[in-house]
Amino acid sequence: MTHVAKTIAATSHPAARVPPESTGAVRRQWSVAEVLALYELPFMDLLWRAQSIHRRHFNPNDIQRSTLLSIKTGGCSEDCSYCSQSARYATDVERERLMPLAEVVTAAKAAKDRGASRFCMGAAWRSPKEADLEKILDMVREVKALGLQTCVTLGMLKEGQAEKLRAAGLDYYNHNLDTDREFYGRVIQSHSHDDRLDTLAQARDAGINICSGGIIGMGESRKNRAAMLAQLANLDKPPESVPINNLVPVPGTPFGELPPLDPFEFVRTIAVARIIMPSSYVRLSAGREDMSDELQALCFLAGANSMFYGARLLTTDNADAERDDALFARLGLNAC
Ligand code: SAM
Ligand code: DTB
Ligand code: SF4
């Protein structure tokens, strides 16, 4: 045993010594208790374990970057308690119509020139109407033709819609579980957790990559967080992309006044997601604008390897591209 290995063996928490999931190719189901046990590791052990697994599956210096565009903003029928775009809450967001194709293509070109590899178009809908879907299909075709990967988030999908999106060239469908089954009713009542799983299955069955994660900092417990991550990891195939959003409290929404989460809990969530979904891209998502560069670096160390790039998320601000470019240069990160 080398000196370093001896030191690790002597000082780490027992659960941190052997990362079993990083050695074999066999996928296993995670119990909530097992995921909670990861959360409860000493912070340094958890990060070491996450980083060790990360290095077996990815180049730790590569970060994938997607740019978001809200193509249909506000006026949503749904009651998601965190959302600025729900028609039920008095927020500063103005309701807008579906954006014309030419404006979407202009924004996508700008995102590509700036260095994004994927363009994600978001619409504030419960689910897309057929006539609107036809317009989205044109957007997907044109964005794909620019040489960008395509992603949309349109709410719940009905039978047949995912196949059309796939045929148009859609690479990813974003639809988050948001939280675990137990806490879900405290966040959303207008559609169910099962509705969300059904949409993910529709996209998966159509051969579209899945982008699905959640939000933390909504007043859920650590057990709720662990249960949500376990549910994602235990899907027939885990999502290729797992966004971890830190709640952006939006004034006027039911969650507009919630206190911030301990930033280390956010880092822990990234690390646990990395460990139990070793081949997925873990996406450092909403809430990044308020994170220091050092906190973001900890998130990358914990295994985050994708992010939203550009000054705007959907309706709220993101860290701007100049700041991200400077951070990438300081940390020697490669955009991909
Ligand atoms: N209407 C679609 C849907 O619900 O799937 C697409 C858009 S929705 C805004 C996409 C995701 O953004 C939500 O599922 C949620 O996880 C995240 N999100 C929305 N508002 C947020 C906020 N204030 N803070 C953090 N994440 C948020
Ligand atoms: C995801 O999980 N986060 C992104 C993307 N998927 C669509 C959206 C974050 C939205 C944050 C609040 C806003 O800007 O409206
Ligand atoms: Fe509508 Fe999506 Fe916002 Fe929920 S998260 S209110 S479905 S836009």
Side-chain angles (χ1 to χ4, degrees):
M1 211 188 251
T2 64
H3 173 68
V4 172
K6 267 188 207 150
T7 310
I8 289 171
T11 57
S12 338
H13 189 282
R17 280 182 206 144
V18 186
E21 20 347 71
S22 64
T23 52
V26 185
R27 261 234 326 132
R28 35 96 122 232
Q29 293 284 297
W30 288 89
S31 70
V32 176
E34 286 172 315
V35 178
L36 207 47
L38 290 173
Y39 258 104
E40 281 162 11
L41 284 171
F43 188 76
M44 301 308 159
D45 291 339
L46 176 61
L47 253 65
W48 175 80
R49 191 156 158 177
Q51 177 65 198
S52 310
I53 290 172
H54 189 45
R55 282 171 182 265
R56 288 172 206 241
H57 293 84
F58 293 98
N59 178 332
N61 303 307
D62 287 350
I63 307 285
Q64 187 277 328
R65 304 197 294 196
S66 300
T67 292
L68 282 167
L69 178 69
S70 182
I71 55 169
K72 169 19 188 113
T73 304
C76 183
S77 62
E78 302 307 285
D79 67 357
C80 311
S81 298
Y82 50 77
C83 189
S84 63
Q85 306 200 69
S86 168
R88 303 181 192 218
Y89 314 130
T91 69
D92 286 346
V93 171
E94 303 271 338
R95 182 185 189 138
E96 289 169 21
R97 303 170 79 94
L98 184 61
M99 203 179 258
L101 176 62
E103 277 179 42
V104 174
V105 173
T106 302
K109 274 188 191 139
K112 186 178 184 207
D113 292 347
R114 184 81 217 195
S117 59
R118 189 177 308 156
F119 193 65
C120 180
M121 296 164 271
W125 287 324
R126 172 182 165 87
S127 61
K129 296 195 187 71
E130 283 306 316
D132 288 328
L133 190 73
E134 292 303 319
K135 295 179 186 157
I136 303 287
L137 299 178
D138 286 338
M139 294 176 189
V140 170
R141 285 186 202 102
E142 298 243 350
V143 172
K144 182 89 175 164
L146 297 174
L148 281 160
Q149 294 172 10
T150 53
C151 173
V152 294
T153 179
L154 313 172
M156 296 182 281
L157 292 179
K158 294 192 264 316
E159 291 278 325
Q161 293 187 320
E163 284 72 17
K164 288 185 183 170
L165 287 163
R166 179 71 200 121
L170 186 69
D171 296 305
Y172 287 81
Y173 196 81
N174 166 245
H175 198 61
N176 292 337
L177 289 186
D178 276 349
T179 190
D180 76 328
R181 200 178 275 288
E182 185 188 78
F183 194 70
Y184 188 88
R186 302 266 298 276
V187 184
I188 300 163
Q189 270 113 48
S190 56
H191 55 271
S192 70
H193 206 246
D194 281 337
D195 288 334
R196 290 186 172 248
L197 288 169
D198 180 63
T199 289
L200 292 179
Q202 305 255 4
R204 179 60 87 208
D205 291 349
I208 301 170
N209 293 306
I210 300 293
C211 175
S212 187
I215 313 182
I216 65 171
M218 301 189 293
E220 75 288 344
S221 66
R222 183 178 266 185
K223 181 160 172 275
N224 296 135
R225 287 172 211 129
M228 177 188 77
L229 292 180
Q231 195 173 12
L232 290 166
N234 292 342
L235 290 172
D236 288 343
K237 194 172 172 211
E240 282 75 15
S241 161
V242 181
I244 307 294
N245 295 279
N246 202 10
L247 176 72
V248 178
V250 176
T253 63
F255 290 172
E257 304 289 327
L258 286 179
L261 185 76
D262 174 3
F264 291 130
E265 186 67 10
F266 187 84
V267 179
R268 281 181 185 276
T269 302
I270 299 266
V272 172
R274 166 52 62 225
I275 293 168
I276 70 174
M277 291 174 271
S279 308
S280 303
Y281 280 80
V282 176
R283 188 172 303 275
L284 171 52
S285 302
R288 211 161 56 75
E289 196 205 9
D290 290 332
M291 293 181 193
S292 68
D293 286 357
E294 295 80 2
L295 178 57
Q296 292 187 58
L298 265 187
C299 292
F300 298 137
L301 196 65
N305 61 345
S306 56
M307 62 188 231
F308 293 116
Y309 181 61
R312 206 86 179 126
L313 291 167
L314 291 173
T315 66
T316 65
D317 289 341
N318 192 21
D320 59 34
E322 290 75 20
R323 179 180 162 200
D324 285 342
D325 291 347
L327 180 61
F328 272 50
R330 288 166 74 203
L331 299 180
L333 296 173
N334 313 308
C336 60

